[in-house]
Short mmCIF file of all heavy atoms in Angstrom, two decimals:
data_model
loop_
_atom_site.label_atom_id
_atom_site.label_comp_id
_atom_site.label_asym_id
_atom_site.label_seq_id
_atom_site.Cartn_x
_atom_site.Cartn_y
_atom_site.Cartn_z
N MET A 86 115.41 -12.75 -12.08
CA MET A 86 113.98 -12.51 -11.94
C MET A 86 113.65 -11.06 -12.30
O MET A 86 114.42 -10.09 -12.08
CB MET A 86 113.53 -12.82 -10.49
CG MET A 86 112.08 -12.79 -10.22
SD MET A 86 111.42 -14.40 -10.65
CE MET A 86 109.89 -14.32 -9.85
N THR A 87 112.51 -10.85 -12.89
CA THR A 87 112.11 -9.51 -13.34
C THR A 87 111.54 -8.75 -12.20
O THR A 87 111.04 -9.26 -11.18
CB THR A 87 111.11 -9.62 -14.50
OG1 THR A 87 110.73 -8.31 -14.89
CG2 THR A 87 109.92 -10.34 -14.10
N ASP A 88 111.55 -7.39 -12.33
CA ASP A 88 110.99 -6.50 -11.28
C ASP A 88 109.56 -6.32 -11.47
O ASP A 88 108.85 -5.67 -10.67
CB ASP A 88 111.66 -5.16 -11.33
CG ASP A 88 113.07 -5.20 -10.87
OD1 ASP A 88 113.39 -6.16 -10.07
OD2 ASP A 88 113.96 -4.34 -11.28
N ARG A 89 108.99 -6.85 -12.53
CA ARG A 89 107.50 -6.68 -12.75
C ARG A 89 106.72 -7.61 -11.87
O ARG A 89 107.13 -8.82 -11.56
CB ARG A 89 107.15 -6.97 -14.24
CG ARG A 89 107.76 -5.89 -15.12
CD ARG A 89 107.43 -6.23 -16.58
NE ARG A 89 108.12 -5.26 -17.37
CZ ARG A 89 107.72 -5.02 -18.65
NH1 ARG A 89 106.71 -5.70 -19.17
NH2 ARG A 89 108.29 -4.12 -19.36
N PRO A 90 105.50 -7.25 -11.51
CA PRO A 90 104.67 -8.16 -10.67
C PRO A 90 104.15 -9.34 -11.47
O PRO A 90 104.03 -9.30 -12.68
CB PRO A 90 103.57 -7.23 -10.21
CG PRO A 90 103.47 -6.16 -11.24
CD PRO A 90 104.84 -6.00 -11.72
N TYR A 91 103.90 -10.42 -10.81
CA TYR A 91 103.28 -11.58 -11.45
C TYR A 91 101.79 -11.38 -11.45
O TYR A 91 101.17 -11.12 -10.44
CB TYR A 91 103.62 -12.86 -10.60
CG TYR A 91 103.00 -14.10 -11.08
CD1 TYR A 91 103.46 -14.81 -12.17
CD2 TYR A 91 101.91 -14.66 -10.47
CE1 TYR A 91 102.92 -15.94 -12.64
CE2 TYR A 91 101.33 -15.87 -10.85
CZ TYR A 91 101.82 -16.44 -12.00
OH TYR A 91 101.31 -17.63 -12.43
N VAL A 92 101.18 -11.53 -12.66
CA VAL A 92 99.75 -11.31 -12.82
C VAL A 92 99.09 -12.55 -13.28
O VAL A 92 99.58 -13.23 -14.28
CB VAL A 92 99.54 -10.15 -13.86
CG1 VAL A 92 98.03 -9.95 -14.04
CG2 VAL A 92 100.14 -8.87 -13.37
N LEU A 93 97.98 -12.92 -12.72
CA LEU A 93 97.18 -14.10 -13.04
C LEU A 93 95.81 -13.66 -13.39
O LEU A 93 95.18 -12.94 -12.59
CB LEU A 93 97.13 -15.08 -11.90
CG LEU A 93 96.26 -16.29 -12.02
CD1 LEU A 93 96.87 -17.20 -13.15
CD2 LEU A 93 96.11 -17.02 -10.78
N LEU A 94 95.31 -14.01 -14.52
CA LEU A 94 93.94 -13.65 -15.00
C LEU A 94 93.23 -14.99 -15.23
O LEU A 94 93.67 -15.86 -15.90
CB LEU A 94 94.03 -12.88 -16.29
CG LEU A 94 92.69 -12.50 -16.90
CD1 LEU A 94 91.86 -11.62 -16.02
CD2 LEU A 94 92.88 -11.93 -18.27
N SER A 95 92.00 -14.97 -14.59
CA SER A 95 91.12 -16.20 -14.78
C SER A 95 89.70 -15.72 -15.09
O SER A 95 89.19 -14.87 -14.34
CB SER A 95 91.23 -16.98 -13.49
OG SER A 95 90.31 -18.13 -13.63
N CYS A 96 89.18 -16.22 -16.17
CA CYS A 96 87.82 -15.83 -16.59
C CYS A 96 87.10 -17.00 -17.21
O CYS A 96 87.70 -17.69 -18.04
CB CYS A 96 87.93 -14.64 -17.59
SG CYS A 96 86.34 -13.99 -18.09
N ALA A 97 85.85 -17.22 -16.82
CA ALA A 97 85.01 -18.27 -17.44
C ALA A 97 84.03 -17.54 -18.35
O ALA A 97 83.57 -16.46 -18.08
CB ALA A 97 84.33 -19.06 -16.40
N MET A 98 83.81 -18.16 -19.48
CA MET A 98 82.84 -17.61 -20.47
C MET A 98 81.89 -18.71 -20.96
O MET A 98 82.28 -19.83 -21.12
CB MET A 98 83.66 -17.04 -21.71
CG MET A 98 82.76 -16.34 -22.68
SD MET A 98 83.66 -15.80 -24.22
CE MET A 98 85.22 -15.24 -23.60
N SER A 99 80.65 -18.37 -21.17
CA SER A 99 79.64 -19.24 -21.63
C SER A 99 79.86 -19.55 -23.12
O SER A 99 80.68 -18.82 -23.79
CB SER A 99 78.24 -18.73 -21.42
OG SER A 99 78.03 -17.52 -22.19
N VAL A 100 79.28 -20.59 -23.63
CA VAL A 100 79.44 -20.89 -25.05
C VAL A 100 79.05 -19.74 -25.99
O VAL A 100 79.68 -19.57 -27.06
CB VAL A 100 78.61 -22.19 -25.38
CG1 VAL A 100 78.70 -22.47 -26.88
CG2 VAL A 100 79.15 -23.39 -24.57
N ASP A 101 77.98 -19.02 -25.59
CA ASP A 101 77.63 -17.88 -26.36
C ASP A 101 78.34 -16.60 -26.14
O ASP A 101 77.93 -15.50 -26.59
CB ASP A 101 76.10 -17.64 -26.34
CG ASP A 101 75.61 -17.44 -24.86
OD1 ASP A 101 76.43 -17.48 -23.96
OD2 ASP A 101 74.38 -17.24 -24.67
N GLY A 102 79.43 -16.63 -25.33
CA GLY A 102 80.37 -15.50 -25.18
C GLY A 102 80.06 -14.60 -24.00
O GLY A 102 80.68 -13.52 -23.91
N TYR A 103 79.17 -15.00 -23.04
CA TYR A 103 78.89 -14.08 -21.96
C TYR A 103 79.72 -14.52 -20.73
O TYR A 103 79.98 -15.69 -20.48
CB TYR A 103 77.45 -14.22 -21.60
CG TYR A 103 76.49 -13.52 -22.59
CD1 TYR A 103 75.87 -14.32 -23.62
CD2 TYR A 103 76.30 -12.14 -22.59
CE1 TYR A 103 75.04 -13.63 -24.55
CE2 TYR A 103 75.52 -11.53 -23.57
CZ TYR A 103 74.91 -12.31 -24.52
OH TYR A 103 74.15 -11.71 -25.46
N ILE A 104 80.09 -13.46 -19.89
CA ILE A 104 80.74 -13.76 -18.63
C ILE A 104 79.80 -13.39 -17.47
O ILE A 104 80.15 -13.68 -16.31
CB ILE A 104 82.09 -12.95 -18.46
CG1 ILE A 104 81.84 -11.47 -18.60
CG2 ILE A 104 83.05 -13.50 -19.56
CD1 ILE A 104 83.09 -10.69 -18.30
N ASP A 105 78.66 -12.82 -17.73
CA ASP A 105 77.64 -12.58 -16.73
C ASP A 105 76.31 -12.36 -17.42
O ASP A 105 76.18 -12.25 -18.63
CB ASP A 105 78.03 -11.35 -15.94
CG ASP A 105 77.38 -11.27 -14.51
OD1 ASP A 105 76.58 -12.20 -14.23
OD2 ASP A 105 77.68 -10.34 -13.80
N ASP A 106 75.23 -12.24 -16.59
CA ASP A 106 73.91 -11.87 -17.15
C ASP A 106 73.36 -10.75 -16.28
O ASP A 106 74.05 -10.13 -15.43
CB ASP A 106 73.00 -13.10 -17.13
CG ASP A 106 72.72 -13.70 -15.75
OD1 ASP A 106 73.15 -13.07 -14.77
OD2 ASP A 106 72.10 -14.68 -15.66
N ALA A 107 72.13 -10.32 -16.53
CA ALA A 107 71.56 -9.19 -15.88
C ALA A 107 70.97 -9.49 -14.44
O ALA A 107 70.54 -8.54 -13.82
CB ALA A 107 70.48 -8.62 -16.81
N SER A 108 70.94 -10.70 -14.10
CA SER A 108 70.34 -11.06 -12.77
C SER A 108 71.30 -10.66 -11.66
O SER A 108 72.53 -10.58 -11.85
CB SER A 108 70.06 -12.57 -12.64
OG SER A 108 71.27 -13.29 -12.57
N PRO A 109 70.73 -10.48 -10.48
CA PRO A 109 71.56 -10.07 -9.30
C PRO A 109 72.36 -11.20 -8.77
O PRO A 109 73.43 -10.97 -8.09
CB PRO A 109 70.49 -9.52 -8.29
CG PRO A 109 69.25 -10.10 -8.66
CD PRO A 109 69.30 -10.34 -10.14
N GLU A 110 72.03 -12.38 -9.01
CA GLU A 110 72.78 -13.54 -8.56
C GLU A 110 74.04 -13.80 -9.49
O GLU A 110 74.05 -13.37 -10.60
CB GLU A 110 71.95 -14.88 -8.58
CG GLU A 110 70.85 -14.95 -7.55
CD GLU A 110 69.57 -14.26 -8.01
OE1 GLU A 110 69.33 -14.33 -9.20
OE2 GLU A 110 68.85 -13.69 -7.20
N ARG A 111 75.01 -14.47 -8.81
CA ARG A 111 76.26 -14.77 -9.55
C ARG A 111 75.91 -15.78 -10.65
O ARG A 111 75.27 -16.85 -10.37
CB ARG A 111 77.22 -15.37 -8.54
CG ARG A 111 78.54 -15.81 -9.13
CD ARG A 111 79.42 -16.35 -7.98
NE ARG A 111 80.72 -16.79 -8.48
CZ ARG A 111 81.56 -17.49 -7.77
NH1 ARG A 111 81.30 -17.72 -6.50
NH2 ARG A 111 82.69 -17.85 -8.32
N LEU A 112 76.46 -15.61 -11.82
CA LEU A 112 76.29 -16.52 -12.95
C LEU A 112 77.33 -17.64 -12.76
O LEU A 112 78.55 -17.37 -12.75
CB LEU A 112 76.43 -15.88 -14.30
CG LEU A 112 76.33 -16.69 -15.52
CD1 LEU A 112 74.93 -17.35 -15.62
CD2 LEU A 112 76.63 -15.99 -16.79
N ARG A 113 76.86 -18.86 -12.49
CA ARG A 113 77.80 -20.00 -12.26
C ARG A 113 78.04 -20.71 -13.61
O ARG A 113 77.14 -21.35 -14.13
CB ARG A 113 77.17 -20.87 -11.22
CG ARG A 113 76.98 -20.13 -9.93
CD ARG A 113 76.61 -21.10 -8.81
NE ARG A 113 76.34 -20.39 -7.59
CZ ARG A 113 77.25 -20.09 -6.70
NH1 ARG A 113 78.53 -20.48 -6.90
NH2 ARG A 113 76.98 -19.52 -5.56
N LEU A 114 79.26 -20.65 -14.02
CA LEU A 114 79.69 -21.24 -15.28
C LEU A 114 80.61 -22.46 -15.10
O LEU A 114 81.01 -23.04 -16.03
CB LEU A 114 80.37 -20.28 -16.16
CG LEU A 114 79.59 -18.99 -16.62
CD1 LEU A 114 80.41 -17.99 -17.39
CD2 LEU A 114 78.39 -19.55 -17.53
N SER A 115 80.98 -22.78 -13.83
CA SER A 115 81.95 -23.81 -13.62
C SER A 115 81.31 -24.85 -12.62
O SER A 115 80.28 -24.62 -12.07
CB SER A 115 83.18 -23.23 -12.93
OG SER A 115 83.76 -22.28 -13.82
N SER A 116 82.11 -25.93 -12.43
CA SER A 116 81.65 -26.96 -11.56
C SER A 116 82.07 -26.68 -10.12
O SER A 116 83.00 -25.85 -9.89
CB SER A 116 82.25 -28.32 -12.00
OG SER A 116 83.68 -28.30 -11.86
N PRO A 117 81.53 -27.42 -9.12
CA PRO A 117 81.92 -27.26 -7.77
C PRO A 117 83.41 -27.49 -7.59
O PRO A 117 84.13 -26.82 -6.77
CB PRO A 117 81.13 -28.26 -7.00
CG PRO A 117 79.85 -28.36 -7.75
CD PRO A 117 80.30 -28.30 -9.22
N ALA A 118 84.01 -28.49 -8.32
CA ALA A 118 85.40 -28.77 -8.22
C ALA A 118 86.24 -27.58 -8.64
O ALA A 118 87.29 -27.21 -8.11
CB ALA A 118 85.77 -30.07 -8.94
N ASP A 119 85.82 -26.92 -9.76
CA ASP A 119 86.51 -25.81 -10.25
C ASP A 119 86.45 -24.58 -9.29
O ASP A 119 87.43 -23.85 -9.11
CB ASP A 119 85.99 -25.42 -11.66
CG ASP A 119 86.93 -24.31 -12.28
OD1 ASP A 119 88.13 -24.52 -12.30
OD2 ASP A 119 86.39 -23.37 -12.79
N PHE A 120 85.28 -24.42 -8.65
CA PHE A 120 85.16 -23.35 -7.64
C PHE A 120 86.13 -23.53 -6.44
O PHE A 120 86.75 -22.65 -5.95
CB PHE A 120 83.72 -23.22 -7.12
CG PHE A 120 82.72 -22.57 -8.07
CD1 PHE A 120 81.65 -23.24 -8.53
CD2 PHE A 120 83.03 -21.27 -8.57
CE1 PHE A 120 80.79 -22.55 -9.44
CE2 PHE A 120 82.09 -20.66 -9.42
CZ PHE A 120 81.04 -21.34 -9.83
N ASP A 121 86.32 -24.81 -6.10
CA ASP A 121 87.27 -25.15 -5.02
C ASP A 121 88.64 -24.85 -5.43
O ASP A 121 89.49 -24.31 -4.69
CB ASP A 121 87.14 -26.63 -4.62
CG ASP A 121 85.89 -26.98 -3.83
OD1 ASP A 121 85.25 -25.97 -3.37
OD2 ASP A 121 85.54 -28.17 -3.83
N ARG A 122 89.06 -25.13 -6.71
CA ARG A 122 90.37 -24.84 -7.23
C ARG A 122 90.58 -23.37 -7.29
O ARG A 122 91.65 -22.86 -6.84
CB ARG A 122 90.45 -25.41 -8.70
CG ARG A 122 91.90 -25.24 -9.27
CD ARG A 122 91.83 -25.44 -10.81
NE ARG A 122 91.00 -24.57 -11.49
CZ ARG A 122 91.29 -23.33 -11.93
NH1 ARG A 122 92.42 -22.77 -11.57
NH2 ARG A 122 90.45 -22.64 -12.55
N VAL A 123 89.63 -22.61 -7.73
CA VAL A 123 89.72 -21.17 -7.77
C VAL A 123 89.88 -20.55 -6.36
O VAL A 123 90.67 -19.59 -6.17
CB VAL A 123 88.56 -20.50 -8.56
CG1 VAL A 123 88.53 -18.99 -8.49
CG2 VAL A 123 88.59 -20.97 -10.03
N ASP A 124 89.15 -21.06 -5.42
CA ASP A 124 89.24 -20.58 -4.07
C ASP A 124 90.69 -20.76 -3.53
O ASP A 124 91.22 -19.96 -2.87
CB ASP A 124 88.27 -21.26 -3.14
CG ASP A 124 86.88 -20.85 -3.29
OD1 ASP A 124 86.66 -19.73 -3.88
OD2 ASP A 124 85.89 -21.50 -2.88
N GLY A 125 91.28 -21.92 -3.86
CA GLY A 125 92.65 -22.16 -3.51
C GLY A 125 93.67 -21.22 -4.11
O GLY A 125 94.58 -20.71 -3.46
N VAL A 126 93.45 -20.89 -5.43
CA VAL A 126 94.29 -19.90 -6.14
C VAL A 126 94.13 -18.56 -5.48
O VAL A 126 95.12 -17.79 -5.19
CB VAL A 126 93.98 -19.87 -7.64
CG1 VAL A 126 94.65 -18.67 -8.28
CG2 VAL A 126 94.25 -21.12 -8.27
N ARG A 127 92.87 -18.13 -5.15
CA ARG A 127 92.61 -16.83 -4.51
C ARG A 127 93.32 -16.78 -3.13
O ARG A 127 93.81 -15.70 -2.76
CB ARG A 127 91.13 -16.60 -4.39
CG ARG A 127 90.47 -16.32 -5.67
CD ARG A 127 89.05 -16.05 -5.43
NE ARG A 127 88.35 -15.55 -6.63
CZ ARG A 127 87.10 -15.18 -6.69
NH1 ARG A 127 86.36 -15.26 -5.60
NH2 ARG A 127 86.59 -14.82 -7.84
N ALA A 128 93.30 -17.85 -2.42
CA ALA A 128 93.90 -17.90 -1.08
C ALA A 128 95.41 -17.67 -1.20
O ALA A 128 96.00 -17.13 -0.20
CB ALA A 128 93.57 -19.19 -0.39
N SER A 129 96.02 -18.09 -2.30
CA SER A 129 97.48 -17.90 -2.43
C SER A 129 97.88 -16.54 -2.95
O SER A 129 99.08 -16.26 -3.07
CB SER A 129 97.99 -18.96 -3.31
OG SER A 129 97.57 -18.80 -4.66
N CYS A 130 96.93 -15.66 -3.32
CA CYS A 130 97.23 -14.34 -3.87
C CYS A 130 97.36 -13.34 -2.81
O CYS A 130 96.72 -13.39 -1.81
CB CYS A 130 96.12 -13.95 -4.87
SG CYS A 130 95.99 -14.97 -6.34
N ASP A 131 98.20 -12.25 -3.11
CA ASP A 131 98.38 -11.15 -2.24
C ASP A 131 97.17 -10.14 -2.37
O ASP A 131 96.87 -9.46 -1.42
CB ASP A 131 99.66 -10.46 -2.45
CG ASP A 131 100.87 -11.35 -2.05
OD1 ASP A 131 100.72 -12.12 -1.09
OD2 ASP A 131 101.90 -11.31 -2.75
N ALA A 132 96.67 -10.08 -3.55
CA ALA A 132 95.63 -9.08 -3.81
C ALA A 132 94.70 -9.65 -4.97
O ALA A 132 95.18 -10.39 -5.77
CB ALA A 132 96.16 -7.76 -4.23
N ILE A 133 93.39 -9.22 -4.95
CA ILE A 133 92.46 -9.60 -6.02
C ILE A 133 91.76 -8.33 -6.51
O ILE A 133 91.38 -7.53 -5.73
CB ILE A 133 91.40 -10.62 -5.44
CG1 ILE A 133 92.12 -11.86 -4.93
CG2 ILE A 133 90.42 -10.88 -6.49
CD1 ILE A 133 91.22 -12.79 -4.21
N LEU A 134 91.81 -8.24 -7.79
CA LEU A 134 91.11 -7.01 -8.43
C LEU A 134 89.86 -7.46 -9.14
O LEU A 134 89.85 -8.45 -9.86
CB LEU A 134 92.11 -6.30 -9.44
CG LEU A 134 91.48 -5.18 -10.24
CD1 LEU A 134 91.11 -4.04 -9.27
CD2 LEU A 134 92.53 -4.74 -11.22
#
Protein backbone atom coordinates (compact mmCIF):
# COMPACT_ATOMS: atom_id res chain seq x y z
CA MET A 1 0.00 0.00 0.00
CA THR A 2 1.20 3.52 -0.72
CA ASP A 3 1.82 6.18 1.93
CA ARG A 4 -0.22 8.72 0.00
CA PRO A 5 -3.76 9.56 1.14
CA TYR A 6 -6.78 8.27 -0.76
CA VAL A 7 -8.53 11.18 -2.50
CA LEU A 8 -12.07 11.12 -3.90
CA LEU A 9 -13.36 13.94 -6.09
CA SER A 10 -17.01 14.22 -7.03
CA CYS A 11 -18.48 17.06 -9.06
CA ALA A 12 -21.71 17.52 -11.02
CA MET A 13 -21.83 19.83 -14.02
CA SER A 14 -24.76 21.12 -16.06
CA VAL A 15 -24.94 20.48 -19.79
CA ASP A 16 -23.75 24.04 -20.45
CA GLY A 17 -20.69 23.56 -18.21
CA TYR A 18 -21.74 25.23 -14.95
CA ILE A 19 -21.26 23.80 -11.44
CA ASP A 20 -23.16 26.66 -9.72
CA ASP A 21 -25.08 29.84 -10.44
CA ALA A 22 -25.25 33.29 -8.82
CA SER A 23 -28.30 32.55 -6.62
CA PRO A 24 -27.85 32.05 -2.86
CA GLU A 25 -29.61 28.65 -3.01
CA ARG A 26 -27.78 25.42 -3.79
CA LEU A 27 -27.89 24.53 -7.50
CA ARG A 28 -29.38 21.03 -7.64
CA LEU A 29 -28.01 19.10 -10.61
CA SER A 30 -28.73 15.56 -9.42
CA SER A 31 -31.68 13.37 -8.47
CA PRO A 32 -32.79 12.61 -4.90
CA ALA A 33 -31.34 9.08 -5.25
CA ASP A 34 -27.94 10.54 -6.19
CA PHE A 35 -28.06 12.95 -3.22
CA ASP A 36 -28.64 9.91 -0.95
CA ARG A 37 -25.67 8.13 -2.53
CA VAL A 38 -23.42 11.16 -2.05
CA ASP A 39 -24.54 11.49 1.59
CA GLY A 40 -23.45 7.88 2.13
CA VAL A 41 -20.05 8.55 0.55
CA ARG A 42 -19.60 11.67 2.71
CA ALA A 43 -20.48 9.71 5.84
CA SER A 44 -17.69 7.26 5.09
CA CYS A 45 -15.04 9.99 4.67
CA ASP A 46 -12.67 11.21 7.37
CA ALA A 47 -12.64 14.79 6.03
CA ILE A 48 -14.42 16.89 3.41
CA LEU A 49 -12.88 19.89 1.67
